[in-house]
Amino acid sequence: MVPIKGGHFIMGSEKKESGRLPDEGPQHQVRIDSFWMAQFEITWDIYNLFVERQIDAQQNEQGIGNEVSINVDAVAGATIPYVDMTNGMGIQGFPAVNMTQYAASKFCEWLSAMTGNFYRLPTEAEWEYACKAGTQTAYSFGNDTSQIDDFAWSNQNSNGTSHKVGLKKPNPFGLYDMHGNVAEWTLDAYAADTYAKRKKVDNPFEKPVKTYPRTLRGGSWSSSTENLRSASRMASNKTWKARDPQIPKSKWWHTDAPFIGFRIVRPYTTPSRKEQQVYWKEKHTKS
């Protein structure tokens, strides 16, 4: 986990930015509290420990933290998938893919139970703050796309597959693969006019009240370079479950989304136990 010092930043992109879409504006200043963020995208090596649940009995070993107090047996577990969710792209050191946002959040709850430390997905604002890493350019390395192969896997250099994490250069915060490789889940619901309607600018979080759409960030190995920009946004889609044979469709897997994964965060200030549950829920009810 990499420490990210909180502060203010300009969220969104300038109108003149090449490749910009309307959902990236208007630009607005946002304040973010300090947090830790995973240096790498979560890999299958780690994610499969959650799917298989064979190490759950080790929860009570010495060294557990005191931020979270839940029994790991109470954490819902992912169903075994019907098809190869790796899509043959690799396991050891490769980013886990094809999971739903709900599954990614339940991984965070499981990891929290196992370690005693509180983990969750990043908010969309936290993700962009970490990606920009103090920059104001289209990418964390500048505006010159001739450098992009040094920092990212895209549809121009990936050969149609994801790659092991950490093979490209990191951003100024020391985070790898923030541009490309796999698109990353955030906590937020997606709406094209989110920024235009935003009222809260301190640690904003757009709570989902329905399954679709949710927001992903960073672009992937299948994305064009312009969709790897720091401010680029992506909405989830139910068509990602097209080959799922279950009725109803699985809450855990997107059978047709080998381009999505996630990374986790741990806030410096641990939320209350009641608040913790908010971040691991499938969706929220309207107040």
Side-chain angles (χ1 to χ4, degrees), residues 41-42 89 95-101 104 121-122 127 153-154 162 177-186 214-223 227-228 232-236 240 257-263:
E41 294 158 339
I42 296 297
M89 293 190 294
V97 294
N98 274 316
M99 77 292 295
T100 62
Q101 190 220 45
L121 294 177
W127 193 97
W153 297 107
S154 70
S162 66
D177 300 307
M178 294 296 282
H179 304 294
N181 208 19
V182 291
E184 300 175 13
W185 284 116
T186 71
R214 308 285 175 95
T215 306
L216 299 100
R217 288 303 205 102
S220 75
W221 55 266
S222 66
S223 302
N227 289 328
L228 272 55
S232 180
R233 307 175 69 208
M234 180 181 185
S236 64
W240 296 348
F259 46 84
I260 63 169
F262 69 104
R263 75 178 72 214

Side-chain angles (χ1 to χ4, degrees), residues 78-100:
T79 57
I80 301 302
Y82 284 86
V83 296
D84 175 19
M85 290 300 173
T86 73
N87 285 69
M89 293 190 294
I91 295 177
Q92 195 156 10
F94 285 81
V97 294
N98 274 316
M99 77 292 295
T100 62

